[in-house]
Amino acid sequence: MENNMQGVSVIGSKVNLNELVEKQNRFEDILIQEEMLEVQHGNVAVLEEKKEDDQEMKEENERQIIKNEIYSSQELSQDFLNNKLFYKCHFVDCSVSDNVKLNATTDFKECTFLNNDLHFDDVDKTSFDDYIFEKVSLKGNFIHVSFAGSKFSNVSFIRNSTFIACLFDHTNAIEYFDNNLIKLSNIELVKKSNDNAEIMKKVNELYEILKSEDKVLQQELIAKTKVDEEDVLDYILHLDDMEYLKLIAKTSNRVVEEKMV
């Protein structure tokens, strides 16, 4: 909605998007939990919902943030997973209790599942963003679940598992998520069109051009026997506009000369 919401996580809150657009509010690196947002004079006031009569229930349902924990050979129960945000946690040789259902109160961020049997009943609006799934068996109905930025390795599926309207941006899901194995609906799995070996060939060609033209670069990388993509990208990103234009001109001339030969 044309607002800068970078690094913001709003959990269990109410936001009037029309007012935010009108006031052009800006948010950065804010975690808002169990609260209500209200726009006042162009600024955002955070008003805590006060329910004194229901305070005990609210405390039970408050979302807990768990960081950098390691869980080994543990059965993950409904009570254990409810109302949790797991951040940079590791689950090794774990399994899921019977009849576990996850919803938007449970999320995982930058965690690892290694050698786990993740056999859920249902998973709805839960995120597994920037995750590593290795030697994992998946089961359940996954609806509106985010796997953005996650990496899959040696993943298997239990029959009749479904994935509906899930997000797989910047993942290698296409290597494992197949309609012949599971039911996929309203999902787009994009395969990278360029072969990695071909990309690295082009990167090294560009590196040779840069090295022949730039003495400073030669000195900085003199100890390197092999260049990687980040070396070249970092160099290009730090060029000013004129240096960038000169680089493009030199590169273009070099390509034309090679083709003519």
Side-chain angles (χ1 to χ4, degrees), residues 118-159:
L118 305 181
H119 298 167
F120 300 101
D121 266 14
D122 295 298
V123 181
D124 186 8
K125 298 182 179 68
T126 297
S127 68
F128 296 87
D129 291 342
D130 301 307
Y131 224 98
I132 296 177
F133 294 85
E134 185 172 350
K135 296 181 181 179
V136 169
S137 172
L138 287 172
K139 173 185 175 294
N141 298 312
F142 297 83
I143 306 172
H144 297 290
V145 175
S146 173
F147 296 93
S150 292
K151 304 300 180 185
F152 301 92
S153 176
N154 196 11
V155 175
S156 61
F157 303 92
I158 301 300
R159 184 182 297 276

Side-chain angles (χ1 to χ4, degrees), residues 64-75:
Q64 182 180 0
I65 299 176
I66 302 175
K67 300 180 180 180
N68 303 307
E69 292 290 340
I70 299 176
Y71 301 97
S72 179
S73 302
Q74 180 171 332
E75 186 175 67

Side-chain angles (χ1 to χ4, degrees), residues 181-215:
L181 301 174
I182 52 179
K183 298 177 183 178
L184 297 175
S185 177
N186 194 21
I187 291 174
E188 181 178 1
L189 298 179
V190 180
K191 186 175 183 179
K192 294 182 178 179
S193 59
N194 296 319
D195 181 69
N196 188 57
E198 185 66 22
I199 292 175
M200 291 310 301
K201 179 182 177 182
K202 296 296 183 184
V203 166
N204 278 283
E205 288 177 358
L206 177 56
Y207 170 66
E208 291 302 322
I209 295 172
L210 293 174
K211 192 169 67 173
S212 66
E213 298 290 346
D214 192 321
K215 303 299 181 183

Side-chain angles (χ1 to χ4, degrees), residues 20 34 40 43 64 114 139 170 185 196 203 209 245:
L20 294 182
E34 298 294 345
Q40 295 179 346
N43 297 317
Q64 182 180 0
L114 175 60
K139 173 185 175 294
H170 306 292
S185 177
N196 188 57
V203 166
I209 295 172
L245 291 174

Side-chain angles (χ1 to χ4, degrees), residues 83-98:
N83 300 314
K84 301 285 197 317
L85 169 59
F86 296 94
Y87 177 66
K88 291 188 176 181
C89 294
H90 301 276
F91 299 84
V92 182
D93 297 320
C94 293
S95 61
V96 176
S97 303
D98 291 339

Side-chain angles (χ1 to χ4, degrees), residues 47 73 177:
L47 305 179
S73 302
F177 288 72

